Amino acid sequence: MIRSIGHIALALSLAACSGNGSSQEPVPTMTGKHVTIIHGYVASPQDHWFPWLKAKLEAQGAEVAVLALPDSANPRADAWLAYLKANIHHHDRNSYFVAHSLGCITLLRYLDGLDQPTPIGGFVLVSGFADSLSLLPQLDDFTREPLNYPHLTGLAMRRSVIASRNDPVVPYRQTAALSRSLKAELHSIDHGGHFLGSEGFTELPPVYDELARMIRHKYGDTEVSIR
């Protein structure tokens, strides 16, 4: 299913969160839930909307870790994967993951390597990709090997992808293709850019809202378009 969110609706969602500290939907209790946030290329846990999301989730009782991947300006696929293996301590039904940009393929590669009968709660991918980016060929090592999509869809009970139609770094078509491969719900935002702090995204309510839906186990079956 594709949900399209226009810039006006996104602005209203941001204003709602900034004004009273809550999103438009009822806030779930997140006690006992573990959320791991994984940043992308040339980023850190202090960048973009990561601190806001961490604080918002912790306020609802979740345990949150924002990983600091090594040498994000010159990342190596093997080093990032090794870091996830060493620093992710929860991957069960109460475990949820949020990743941005290069963090998405790194997370998927990590999950692809898990051999366990118990599924994870779910993941939200923002501006993700699984194929080479023409603007960033130095990241090709991250996408060289194909993913085992049947394994990933079987492992993650709930899967959501957020994409911007005017993303200057990761083309929308690549994020949409990843969503289809993962059989994930795709949320399209008209003017999200690459969801960077420098573009004004120090908060990103759609990510929190998706996690809240996952935890409540509630998803709609109809397409929603907001312009």
Side-chain angles (χ1 to χ4, degrees):
M1 181 177 72
I2 300 175
R3 294 178 184 268
S4 183
I5 306 172
H7 65 285
I8 295 176
L10 180 60
L12 289 172
S13 184
L14 285 166
C17 285
S18 298
N20 57 23
S22 63
S23 64
Q24 292 175 319
E25 296 194 3
V27 176
T29 298
M30 297 187 179
T31 301
K33 307 302 180 184
H34 304 277
V35 181
T36 302
I37 302 172
I38 302 165
H39 67 71
Y41 182 46
V42 196
S44 77
Q46 290 73 45
D47 289 335
H48 314 318
W49 36 271
F50 310 137
W52 168 84
L53 181 60
K54 181 177 187 289
K56 192 166 179 64
L57 293 169
E58 288 179 336
Q60 300 307 319
E63 294 185 20
V64 184
V66 188
L67 302 186
L69 287 99
D71 198 7
S72 70
N74 297 284
R76 288 180 21 238
D78 58 346
W80 275 32
L81 182 58
Y83 188 87
L84 293 196
K85 290 179 179 178
N87 290 276
I88 294 177
H89 307 298
H90 301 280
H91 37 77
D92 55 20
R93 293 177 185 271
N94 290 315
S95 301
Y96 298 84
F97 298 87
V98 175
H100 177 235
S101 191
L102 187 62
C104 296
I105 183 65
T106 308
L107 170 65
L108 293 174
R109 194 75 66 196
Y110 165 77
L111 295 176
D112 209 4
L114 292 180
D115 182 13
Q116 61 181 51
T118 304
I120 64 169
F123 56 68
V124 181
L125 307 180
V126 181
S127 289
F129 59 94
D131 298 305
S132 176
L133 297 176
S134 60
L135 293 178
L136 295 170
Q138 63 268 37
L139 304 181
D140 281 356
D141 278 352
F142 285 82
T143 59
R144 203 172 304 280
E145 296 296 325
L147 293 166
N148 184 344
Y149 290 109
H151 175 70
L152 290 168
T153 56
L155 179 67
M157 294 193 294
R158 292 166 185 84
R159 305 170 301 280
S160 182
V161 171
I162 295 175
S164 170
R165 294 186 183 277
N166 71 333
D167 194 321
V169 180
V170 179
Y172 175 81
R173 67 179 183 279
Q174 288 188 237
T175 305
L178 177 61
S179 175
R180 290 192 297 271
S181 296
L182 291 168
K183 298 179 181 178
E185 185 168 323
L186 176 63
H187 297 258
S188 300
I189 295 175
D190 289 337
H191 302 287
H194 196 53
F195 303 106
L196 302 176
S198 61
E199 298 169 321
F201 287 95
T202 55
E203 301 179 4
L204 195 54
V207 175
Y208 176 83
D209 292 342
E210 279 307 288
L211 286 171
R213 289 190 188 99
M214 288 181 180
I215 291 170
R216 285 201 311 274
H217 299 185
K218 291 182 179 178
Y219 278 86
D221 295 323
T222 58
E223 181 173 328
V224 176
S225 180
I226 305 174
R227 299 284 180 179

